[in-house]
Amino acid sequence: MDARPAPEFPAWPQYDDAERDGLIRALEQGQWWRMGGSEVDSFEREFADHHGAEHALAVTNGTHALELALQVMGVGPGTEVIVPGFTFISSSQAAQRLGAVTVPVDVDPDTYNIDPGAVAAAITPRTKVIMPVHMAGLMADMDTLAKISAENGVPLLQDAAHAHGAQWQGRRVGELGSIATFSFQNGKLMTAGEGGVVVFPEGESEKYELAFLRHSCGRPRNDRRYLHRISGSNMRLNEFSAAVLRAQLRRLDGQIALRDQRWELLSRLLGEIDGVVPQGGDVRADRNSHYMAMFRVPGISEEGRNALVDRLVAAGLPAFAGFRAIYRTEAFWEFGAPEESLDAIAERCPHTDAISQDCVWLHHRVLLAGEQEMHATAEIVAAAVAGA
């Protein structure tokens, strides 16, 4: 590759006096855990309102959010959860740690989202939950999935770890009638370093109350006698993290608008590069939060893709290899895997296998830069692919 100045992208996480003021506010209130302070309660109300949900329950991280949501939805030993084969491993492990069997299904080769036809084919009498993952902030086909859910009596759980502020046909995540979870890990669209939240739509107050008990060691809100009503764990978010997240939430919409504008340009530029195919879209997903700028290099080997990522990083891009298919990790097979061979799963997940081999993604801070950086990014990708 020719030597050229590396493009400059905004740092991530982003913060200003809003986060500083929030941390001081949490510090000076004198109570640093949710049961005595007010920051977590305030953040939950604000996040629920922003996403059109009736309730939000803040927890320690996105993985715990998934595990807690699955538990209150009845997932446990003897049950199955359908997940996309192309996703971060937490989508699978959250169910497996509850003793359930995770059933991976294939994804769409253009959007990288779960294939509704594959979902319908995988449903059995043991299927307890269908988990669509909104990949990189592009919402899955919620119309078709809702129809499959209703016809089979199997609820949806939206893994919205990438989809803060996203919308489907004008409806927010919390307005789609299903429970959803979000992550606030350091790279996410909103972050406090770690953290997560479960949002509950209208009509799910009973599950929300159950989730509150389970996330707080089974203890009611105002308990003073250690009356642990059910088994649970400590998944409570602390006051400092909530104060930071309140500030992060206030700038979310402006960042989404900028990322969407930049992706329109960058995806066009990437699509003009021979051998590069950017992640597609869905007109019904009319607000994409763009957690990642993703593209494929069809036909490249996994080793070639990894070398390509190394070249992109060396040239100044925050580039990463795409997720490994969950069934091609050792962790997947430790417990809670279906009674199928790896080859059998791979055979019915050809698109997952291909995307896992040839996909590259760029961190969303790329999309917070200027138009000049979009052109520079595309030039770097073109040069790196040409040298593959």
Side-chain angles (χ1 to χ4, degrees), residues 5-211:
E8 295 185 6
F9 301 109
W12 190 266
Q14 294 187 354
Y15 63 92
D16 58 22
D17 285 343
E19 280 83 356
R20 291 189 184 93
D21 292 345
L23 287 169
I24 293 171
R25 187 176 63 240
L27 179 73
E28 293 182 344
Q29 71 178 341
Q31 289 291 326
W32 299 346
W33 72 314
R34 74 157 302 155
M35 306 309 288
S38 63
E39 293 296 325
V40 174
D41 286 343
S42 295
F43 170 66
E44 289 172 339
R45 288 193 299 271
E46 291 162 7
F47 194 87
D49 287 346
H50 196 93
H51 288 82
E54 185 169 6
H55 302 288
L57 180 64
V59 295
T60 39
N61 54 63
T63 303
H64 283 164
L66 283 170
E67 188 172 328
L68 182 63
L70 289 167
Q71 187 176 26
V72 301
M73 294 173 75
V75 169
T79 65
E80 296 176 351
V81 176
I82 296 174
V83 304
F86 184 71
T87 183
F88 184 65
I89 194 67
S90 286
S91 304
S92 170
Q93 287 187 336
Q96 291 171 307
R97 287 182 61 80
L98 293 171
V101 170
T102 296
V103 180
V105 299
D106 209 5
V107 297
D108 182 274
D110 183 47
T111 66
Y112 315 163
N113 278 327
I114 198 166
D115 177 357
V119 169
I123 293 174
T124 76
R126 296 181 297 278
T127 305
K128 196 70 174 179
V129 169
I130 299 164
M131 186 193 298
V133 177
H134 303 317
M135 183 54 60
L138 175 68
M139 295 192 73
D141 184 350
M142 294 303 292
D143 288 350
T144 306
L145 289 168
K147 185 171 184 292
I148 293 170
S149 170
E151 290 174 348
N152 291 275
V154 179
L156 302 176
L157 169 60
Q158 301 176 67
D159 181 341
H162 302 171
H164 313 69
Q167 294 183 8
W168 176 262
Q169 297 193 112
R171 291 178 293 165
R172 295 168 289 177
V173 169
E175 295 174 313
L176 294 170
S178 50
I179 297 172
T181 68
F182 295 81
S183 169
F184 305 124
Q185 178 269 344
N186 199 65
K188 296 300 190 294
L189 301 173
M190 292 173 48
T191 182
E194 292 284 4
V197 70
V198 186
V199 298
F200 298 83
E202 187 175 352
E204 293 286 12
S205 294
E206 186 174 336
K207 287 188 176 67
Y208 162 71
E209 294 295 342
L210 177 59

